[in-house]
Amino acid sequence: MSEASKQVVQKPVDFRGGGFAPQSKTWVGFLVFVLLIGFIEFGTRVGFITSLTLPKPSDVFATFVDLWKSGLLWKHLIPSISRLIIGAAMGASIGIGVGVLIGLFSLVRAGLVPLVAAIFPIPKIALLPLFVIWFGIDEPSKYALIAFGTFTPTVVATYGAVDNVDRSLIRMGQSFSLSWFSIVTKIVLPGAMPGILSGLRISLAIAIILLVAAEMLGAEYGIGAYILEAGSLYDLERLFVGVTILSILGVSVSAVIGMFENKFLDWRT
Amino acid sequence: MDLRLEDIGHHYGDMEIMQGINLEIPAGKIICIVGPSGCGKSTLLRLIGGLERPTVGQVVQLGEPPEDSINPLTYVFQDFALLPWRTVEGNISLVLEDHGIRGSKADEIISDVLARTKLTDFRKALPKQLSGGMKQRVAISRALAVKPAVMLMDEPLSALDSQTRELLMDDLIGLWTREPFTAVYVTHNLNEAVRLGHSIVVLSRRPGRIREIVDVKIPLADRELGDPELERQQKHLWNLMRDEAMAADKELINV
Ligand SMILES: Nc1ncnc2c1ncn2[C@@H]1O[C@H](COP(=O)(O)OP(=O)(O)OP(=O)(O)O)[C@@H](O)[C@H]1O
Ligand SMILES: [Mg+2]
C-alpha cells in the first residue's frame, strides 16, 4: 500500500476554466495603438515604408498641431460635431420611439416592420441628392441624412430589445395590478435598456460614417470637407489628420455609451 | 374572503388541460395543490388569480376582500420575478406606487414586511447581490406588502436547495402562525405539502381532475420534521400520485 502510494504521480488538476468573461483591460488597446504607430514611425524613418505609402506619424502630428494653432481645427470640428449630435439625436430618439411602439403594439408591428426591413438595406448616402432637393443644400439635408441613417438600426435594436424583456416580469406587473403605463415605464423600458444601448453603439458609428459622406458631398467646413480637400491634393499628412480625428470621435462616442452602461446598467450580473 | 372554483375546465387549442375542478378555498387556510408534472397546476393558479380566463366554469369570490387589502389576489412566483434594476426596497415600492402609496406610508410598510421576512439589513441591496433564498424572501415580502386576501404561490421553494427550503418553510409557518393568511400553494414536493397544507388537493394527470382532497389536522406550528403522522400522510399522497406520475411520464415520451 505505502509502496504503491509512493509511486502515484501527483500533479495539480489542469485549469481549463478561464476566458469568455470580458474584463476591462484598457491599456492593451492603448498598447496596440502605440506599437502600431511606433512601428510605422520606425518604418518611415528607416525607409522600408516609403513616404508615398504612409506619412510619418510625427509629421501627421505636426500637421495636427498646426491645424489646432491656426484655429481651423475648431472651425472644422464644431460644425461636424453639431451635425452629428443633432442628426443622431433626431434619428436615435425617433428610432427608439418607433421601436418601442413596434414592440408594444401588434398593429404597429405589422405595419412598420416590413417598411423598416425595406429601407434598412438602402445605402442612405444614395439618398443625399433627394434630401438636398427636399431640405436644401444647407444643414437640414445633412441632419436628415444622419438622422435617417441612425433611425433604422435603432428601430431594429429597440424592438428586438423590447421583445426580449422577460415576460415573467411583465406578468408579475400584471399580477400586482400595475397600470399599463407603469408596466411600460418601470418594467419594459428599463428591461430593454441594455439592448437599446448596444444598438446605439452601432447606430452612432453609422452616423459618423454618414456625417463624413454628407460633408464630402457639399460643405465648406467639417471633417469630411477637410478630408476631401486633403485627398484631392494627395496631402497624406492632412488626410491622416482627418482620419485620426474621426477615429477619436468614434472612440469618444463609444466611451460615452460605455459610461452610460456603467452608470445605468450596473444591475446586470 | 373565500374563493370558490366552479366546474373549471381549460383547453389550450385542442389539448384539454383540466376539467371539472370544484374547490373551496376558505379564508385563513393554506390549500396545497399537488399533481404530476404537466397536469395543469400552474395553469389552475393563473386561472384563480385572473391572469387567464378558464374555457368553462368560473372562479367566484365570496365576500369582499378586507378593506386594507391593496392587491387581493397576489402571486409568489417560482422564479422570484424581481426587477434586477431595483433594490429590495425598490422592488417592494414598485407594487405600492401604483396604488398611490408613497413616502412615509410606503416606508412604514416596507420596513414592516422586511422585518417580518428578516431582510431589514438588505433593504438597499440589488437582487444580484442576494442568494436564491433571500430573493424568494424578498418576493414573499413584496407579496405581504400589498396585504393579499389570497396568496397564490407557484412552487415558491422549488428553485432553492433543501436546507434553504426547510428554513423558508419555517418562516412561512411562523408568518402564518402570527397572522393567518389564505394561500393556494402549488408544489410537487409532498413533504412541503404535508408541512404547510391545511388540506392537500391531489390532481390526476392531464386532463387534471381532483382525485382526492386530503386534510391534515395537526396545527401548522406543531408539524415537526419527521412526525410519524405526517410521514403516513405523505406516504398516502405518494401512493395516490405514483401511478399518475408514472403514466404521465410515459405520455410525455409518447408525445
Ligand atoms: N400558454 C400555454 N399555451 C399552450 N399550452 C400551454 C400553455 N401553458 C401551459 N400549457 C400546457 O398545459 C399543460 C399544463 O401546464 P402547467 O404549466 O399548468 O403544468 P404544471 O402542472 O404546472 O406542470 P409542472 O409541474 O411541470 O409545473 C402542459 O402540457 C403545458 O404544455
Ligand atoms: Mg408549473
Side-chain angles (χ1 to χ4, degrees), chain A residues 255-267:
Chain A
V256 168
I257 293 182
M259 265 163 47
F260 269 102
E261 285 179 340
N262 286 340
K263 188 151 166 48
F264 295 114
L265 304 182
D266 61 341
W267 49 266

Side-chain angles (χ1 to χ4, degrees), chain B residues 2-243:
Chain B
D2 299 356
L3 291 178
R4 190 166 64 213
L5 315 193
E6 292 181 345
D7 200 29
I8 302 268
H10 198 65
H11 297 254
Y12 283 120
D14 289 340
M15 188 163 62
E16 185 164 36
I17 308 295
M18 66 187 79
Q19 60 173 224
I21 307 270
N22 285 294
L23 185 65
E24 298 276 344
I25 300 161
K29 299 282 182 224
I30 301 178
I31 308 289
C32 287
I33 298 181
V34 298
S37 172
C39 73
K41 304 182 292 293
S42 303
T43 310
L44 185 61
L45 212 57
R46 289 199 295 273
L47 298 176
I48 297 175
L51 285 180
E52 259 175 73
R53 282 199 192 93
T55 326
V56 293
Q58 54 182 352
V59 180
V60 185
Q61 181 181 320
L62 304 173
E64 289 298 314
E67 282 283 304
D68 63 345
S69 176
I70 300 165
N71 187 50
L73 301 175
T74 297
Y75 285 87
V76 175
F77 299 94
Q78 178 177 5
D79 61 355
F80 324 131
L82 300 176
L83 300 186
W85 50 87
R86 286 197 176 216
T87 58
V88 167
E89 177 182 45
N91 267 288
I92 301 173
S93 69
L94 171 83
V95 299
L96 297 173
E97 286 160 11
D98 260 56
H99 300 279
I101 300 168
R102 289 159 203 278
S104 61
K105 215 169 146 212
D107 255 8
E108 222 171 89
I109 296 179
I110 294 170
S111 304
D112 173 50
V113 294
L114 288 182
R116 279 158 75 190
T117 49
K118 302 176 204 130
L119 282 169
T120 309
D121 294 342
F122 300 96
R123 195 173 172 136
K124 303 279 182 207
L126 283 172
K128 71 170 177 184
Q129 298 166 298
L130 303 177
S131 68
M134 288 205 279
K135 283 185 202 162
Q136 194 55 291
R137 296 219 305 266
V138 177
I140 291 170
S141 62
R142 175 178 64 187
L144 293 172
V146 291
K147 305 200 170 61
V150 179
M151 282 227 252
L152 304 169
M153 310 173 94
D154 191 358
E155 308 197 17
L157 307 185
S158 66
L160 309 174
D161 63 87
S162 57
Q163 290 88 324
T164 314
R165 192 181 309 165
E166 282 298 329
L167 291 174
L168 268 176
M169 266 199 267
D170 288 344
D171 288 348
L172 283 174
I173 292 171
L175 282 171
W176 189 89
T177 314
R178 261 175 280 136
E179 201 180 320
F181 54 86
T182 318
V184 181
Y185 188 107
V186 168
T187 178
H188 57 239
N189 184 318
L190 299 180
N191 181 251
E192 270 174 44
V194 295
R195 291 282 299 284
L196 293 173
H198 292 99
S199 51
I200 299 160
V201 178
V202 183
L203 293 183
S204 68
R205 66 176 186 273
R206 201 179 68 220
R209 301 169 218 241
I210 296 182
R211 271 204 62 175
E212 192 171 326
I213 299 180
V214 177
D215 289 324
V216 185
K217 293 283 188 290
I218 311 172
L220 278 196
D222 301 342
R223 298 185 188 177
E224 304 275 317
L225 193 60
D227 185 312
E229 172 64 11
L230 292 184
E231 303 241 310
R232 196 189 58 76
Q233 300 251 19
Q234 188 175 336
K235 194 144 190 203
H236 173 62
L237 288 173
W238 173 230
N239 285 333
L240 280 176
M241 273 185 62
R242 184 169 43 204
D243 301 338

